[in-house]
Amino acid sequence: LRPRSGTVLLGTRDVTGLPPHARTRLGVARTFQQLAVFPSLTVAENVRVGAEYTGLSAPATRDATDRALRLLRLGPLRDTQAAGLPTAALRRVELARALA
């Protein structure tokens, strides 16, 4: 939705009228109130989806995925299928995907 008044700033840049794909390229990501993970994918695969969406090269995608997993302390769950995780862990997976 477009705001009726005011501006939305990212740092000092006005992003009020930018379409979602342009804001994404600037590093803005979102998570959802209802969990939106891919249950059949592993934790690492879910996070990698976020990195791949940005159009990074394969090595940069791996690096972004690894950094996000470390930051959210998901390394031990890296190869775990998302379907079996508790809600708190799934929220961290979503946040890691947005950060990647």
Side-chain angles (χ1 to χ4, degrees):
L1 298 173
R2 295 198 185 274
R4 292 185 183 145
S5 64
T7 56
V8 178
L9 299 176
L10 179 61
T12 58
R13 183 175 180 167
D14 183 354
V15 297
T16 308
L18 291 180
H21 71 277
R23 290 190 305 265
T24 299
R25 288 188 184 121
L26 294 173
V28 176
R30 65 157 300 169
T31 62
F32 299 88
Q33 283 187 304
Q34 288 188 321
L35 292 171
V37 298
F38 300 101
S40 63
L41 299 180
T42 67
V43 168
E45 290 166 339
N46 267 282
V47 174
R48 190 170 56 238
V49 167
E52 288 175 350
Y53 185 74
T54 63
L56 296 171
S57 66
T61 296
R62 282 191 299 276
D63 290 346
T65 299
D66 290 343
R67 279 194 313 269
L69 289 169
R70 275 195 311 275
L71 183 63
L72 276 292
R73 297 185 176 144
L74 290 167
L77 299 174
R78 165 184 213 98
D79 298 319
T80 304
Q81 191 173 2
L85 294 175
T87 302
L90 292 173
R91 178 62 67 196
R92 289 182 15 236
V93 171
E94 276 196 320
L95 290 171
R97 185 176 57 211
L99 289 171

